[in-house]
Amino acid sequence: MPTNTHTIRYNTGKKSLFSVHLMSVKFEDLYEFMVEGNVDDVNVLNEVRERIREQGRVWWALEASKGANWYLQPKISSNEGVISVTSLKLSVLTNTITLRRLIRKGVPPVLRPKVWLSVSGAAKKLSTVPETYYDELIRATEGKTTPATRQIDHDLPRTFPCHPWLNSDKGQASLRRVLVGYSFRDSEVGYCQGLNYVAALLLLVMKTEEDAFWMLAVLLENVLVSDCYTDTLSGCHVEQRVFKDLLAKKCPRIAAHLEAMGFDVSLVATEWFLCLFSKSLPSEFLMSILRFDKCLLQSFSLALRALNLEEMRTRIPPDAPTEGT
Amino acid sequence: MAAGYRAEEEYDYLFKVVLIGDSGVGKSNLLSRFARDEFSLETRSTIGVEFATKTVQVDDKLVKAQIWDTAGQERYRAITSAYYRGAVGALVVYDVTRRITFDNAERWLRELRDHTDANIVVMLVGNKADLRHLRAVTHEDAAAFAERHGTFSMETSALDATNVDRAFAEVLRQIYHVVSRNALDIGDDPAAPPRGKTIDVGAAKDEVSPVNAGGCCSA
């Protein structure tokens, strides 16, 4: 939770109205999640919102000057690191750079579906299959029972149960189709617990089921470390090892502290990575920092940041004693 | 807040107890019922690992129970070896209304034996016992399992709180007895698995039989 570590930064004059720091506030965020937090949390969220609003103005200005779909040009969505400069027109290159910079700063919520679909490569994936692919896939899976569908049915009511739409019959039917559809598309993954949270969030952002499905597909097949969700979760093991190395390098004190306590950080970090932080961060905050073009890098830096915040919050002393009794 | 935290830190022993069992048997609700006396019909499926602690009195000692809860899906077993490390007690949970979850208890037990010390105290827990009309596993089945595998057994309902405290308390009490009986030097690492004599499960088993269990006649 983005709590008091942010307080100092956001303690501007107008917020001094909120002097009672323990006061709990409840409000609905952009994606209809009920958020409960203290005044500091609200301040952070307001700050994030304000930044996104400012970004929105930049996006609109660009749309006005370059046209609504300026970033949808074919080469733009290329995720490969090497772009042959000679094969690109200068304007396309500028657009690419502009887009990268803009995404780093956050995408306005209304544009998220379009931008995510394009930048992630999901649109490209979608364009290689017949238009009826999704509908046919869903029709083919109707009435079929597999271990995956059984587990999915078990998890549907347990996926953000407090969310009004996800808790409705309609929402659960949508989520079910996306997850079941994907379990048939990739039988090696089938269904892995955790994907329910990812898919649910994608549904809320992308608005249409089919787009959510393709976002899920591109994430699992192209963006994230491969085999994160397959039978042995081997990709997830790799991520955890990398994360541990990064932690030792970037936050040596935290790493040493955890080591001294004999605490394996993957015990908590596994959930962060497998659910793409959707279980551990408020959705609106999450959206504005999750950049799907660099999702993985982002995950690592997010996880590091989470631990850093925790260190500040709990103030681990330099040589934290770890007495047994 | 800091003061309350410190007060909670006063204890004589720290025991790590793990919850295992198939997905959806109610592990998280057993944990929340025990640790916070809460039950939620709107539980979110657990991914990775969650923890809670509660300090209880066993004989004249304060025992801090550190309860670990994890995802039930099979593929998560591959990432949970750290989960078992140092565990001295375990609740193998099944859902009394779903036979398959009881049948799988044997595999969970094997998993546990592979990763933990032989002296770990194990309790077979049949949860959702309030759903009497949907019962698919009999008391006799559970008793036979416990007999066969040398575990304790009890039926619980996290929903109406039946036996939840008792199941945890019994596990903690048995762990404490193992520890105190053997006068182990656990000063360095209170969470270390007790070594030495095994617990005499044969004697205790009848005392903790299905549903009306209890009978905590300590020596």
Side-chain angles (χ1 to χ4, degrees):
Chain A
M1 282 286 262
T3 49
N4 35 15
T5 37
H6 286 268
T7 322
I8 302 158
R9 274 186 57 201
Y10 301 120
N11 248 346
T12 57
K14 68 178 179 204
K15 273 147 195 167
S16 60
L17 271 175
F18 301 99
S19 53
V20 190
H21 277 250
L22 291 172
M23 195 170 72
S24 173
V25 189
K26 234 176 167 178
F27 59 96
E28 199 176 74
D29 81 357
L30 202 63
Y31 293 99
E32 288 186 293
F33 280 102
M34 254 320 181
V35 184
E36 204 176 341
N38 56 30
V39 175
D40 293 333
D41 296 332
V42 179
N43 286 346
V44 172
L45 190 72
N46 281 338
E47 185 82 8
V48 170
R49 278 185 180 172
E50 187 49 44
R51 221 181 309 152
I52 295 290
R53 238 194 315 275
E54 275 166 30
Q55 276 309 107
R57 282 195 277 276
V58 180
W59 283 82
W60 308 139
L62 273 168
E63 291 214 344
S65 67
K66 290 174 187 264
N69 294 325
W70 62 273
Y71 50 86
L72 299 185
Q73 291 166 54
K75 289 280 179 186
I76 301 288
S77 61
S78 151
N79 269 336
E80 291 89 52
V82 192
I83 300 170
S84 161
V85 179
T86 46
S87 72
L88 281 172
K89 277 193 273 170
L90 191 63
S91 65
V92 176
L93 193 65
T94 338
N95 283 351
T96 309
I97 296 166
T98 312
L99 182 65
R100 278 181 190 277
R101 218 178 36 219
L102 279 179
I103 288 174
R104 262 174 223 281
K105 290 187 171 176
V107 182
V110 272
L111 287 180
R112 257 172 217 153
K114 207 163 81 173
V115 175
W116 281 16
L117 205 67
S118 157
V119 172
S120 65
K124 200 168 146 199
K125 215 178 232 318
L126 207 158
S127 68
T128 61
V129 296
E131 246 174 50
T132 52
Y133 178 96
Y134 183 72
D135 291 336
E136 279 171 23
L137 176 71
I138 297 309
R139 212 169 308 131
T141 63
E142 263 166 28
K144 293 218 167 77
T145 308
T146 64
T149 63
R150 272 194 291 269
Q151 184 66 54
I152 291 167
D153 287 331
H154 226 95
D155 285 346
L156 288 175
R158 302 197 294 164
T159 310
F160 300 122
C162 297
H163 189 279
W165 184 74
L166 288 168
N167 199 26
S168 70
D169 289 347
K170 212 172 153 220
Q172 291 195 6
S174 263
L175 181 59
R176 186 179 196 280
R177 282 191 294 271
V178 171
L179 290 170
V180 169
Y182 195 80
S183 78
F184 279 87
R185 175 180 165 92
D186 187 343
S187 55
E188 262 189 66
V189 170
Y191 168 71
C192 177
Q193 288 193 297
L195 289 179
N196 50 330
Y197 296 104
V198 176
L201 220 53
L202 288 173
L203 274 168
L204 295 177
V205 174
M206 303 304 288
K207 310 291 182 209
T208 80
E209 210 179 291
E210 196 173 343
D211 286 353
F213 173 83
W214 287 108
M215 277 303 295
L216 186 68
V218 82
L219 276 176
L220 266 60
E221 293 159 19
N222 306 85
V223 178
L224 300 173
V225 173
S226 52
D227 291 327
C228 266
Y229 299 94
T230 49
D231 208 29
T232 56
L233 306 179
S234 60
C236 181
H237 287 283
V238 173
E239 275 183 327
Q240 294 303 329
R241 288 290 291 275
V242 173
F243 177 54
K244 257 181 238 175
D245 287 351
L246 276 173
L247 187 68
K249 226 179 200 161
K250 303 269 182 190
C251 317
R253 282 179 61 217
I254 300 174
H257 181 64
L258 294 174
E259 175 85 35
M261 290 196 305
F263 186 81
D264 187 339
V265 73
S266 68
L267 285 171
V268 291
T270 300
E271 184 209 271
W272 298 347
F273 284 77
L274 284 179
C275 300
L276 301 182
F277 295 88
S278 60
K279 267 192 92 182
S280 27
L281 286 174
S283 67
E284 210 176 312
F285 185 67
L286 174 74
M287 293 304 164
S288 62
I289 41 179
L290 245 198
R291 276 81 60 121
F292 272 32
D293 58 340
K294 292 208 165 137
C295 196
L296 181 65
L297 255 179
Q298 203 53 40
S299 293
F300 284 125
S301 69
L302 246 184
L304 286 172
R305 225 186 306 170
L307 284 177
N308 254 330
L309 288 180
E310 201 54 29
E311 183 190 22
M312 285 149 82
R313 206 168 64 78
T314 53
R315 294 190 191 177
I316 300 170
D319 297 296
T322 51
E323 299 146 357
T325 43
Chain B
M1 191 178 168
Y5 187 66
R6 215 167 293 133
E8 209 200 321
E9 288 303 296
E10 282 164 19
Y11 54 85
D12 299 303
Y13 295 100
L14 173 66
F15 294 149
K16 171 175 169 180
V17 175
V18 293
L19 285 165
I20 50 175
D22 280 5
S23 174
V25 296
K27 297 182 291 294
S28 300
N29 267 320
L30 279 171
L31 175 60
S32 63
R33 173 63 79 191
F34 172 65
R36 300 183 295 275
D37 200 18
E38 284 171 7
F39 176 88
S40 169
L41 282 169
E42 301 187 326
T43 323
R44 300 193 300 178
S45 54
T46 311
I47 309 296
V49 176
E50 289 177 11
F51 322 77
T53 58
K54 186 177 179 178
T55 304
V56 296
Q57 179 123 13
V58 177
D59 293 353
D60 57 341
K61 300 289 184 203
L62 275 182
V63 169
K64 181 169 178 175
Q66 186 185 71
I67 318 288
W68 293 41
D69 175 27
T70 190
Q73 196 182 17
E74 174 124 16
R75 63 188 73 183
Y76 277 89
R77 294 186 201 181
I79 56 166
T80 46
S81 61
Y83 177 72
Y84 292 106
R85 197 173 304 141
V88 289
L91 270 65
V92 179
V93 188
Y94 67 94
D95 172 351
V96 298
T97 70
R98 284 193 294 144
R99 181 81 203 181
I100 181 77
T101 64
F102 175 72
D103 295 339
N104 284 339
E106 196 144 348
R107 291 166 68 190
W108 281 110
L109 196 64
R110 220 178 302 136
E111 186 84 3
L112 193 65
R113 303 282 190 219
D114 285 349
H115 287 97
T116 57
D117 188 275
N119 292 327
I120 189 167
V121 174
V122 183
M123 164 101 53
L124 177 73
V125 172
N127 193 34
K128 308 195 187 181
D130 53 285
L131 299 171
R132 285 172 200 87
H133 53 298
L134 296 172
R135 175 181 288 280
V137 182
T138 64
H139 296 156
E140 290 72 31
D141 292 336
F145 181 101
E147 172 90 39
R148 198 163 60 244
H149 295 286
T151 71
F152 299 91
S153 95
M154 202 179 269
E155 287 194 356
T156 60
S157 165
L159 185 137
D160 66 20
T162 307
N163 276 348
V164 176
D165 279 354
R166 198 180 267 177
F168 280 101
E170 183 59 23
V171 167
L172 296 172
R173 202 174 62 88
Q174 293 299 339
I175 298 169
Y176 170 67
H177 282 182
V178 174
V179 170
S180 56
R181 200 184 308 162
N182 293 293
L184 289 170
D185 174 25
I186 57 162
D188 293 339
D189 182 6
R195 285 169 201 288
K197 258 176 80 180
T198 49
I199 312 162
D200 188 1
V201 283
K205 205 162 50 214
D206 293 335
E207 300 163 15
V208 193
S209 58
V211 182
N212 50 358
C216 298
C217 44
S218 59

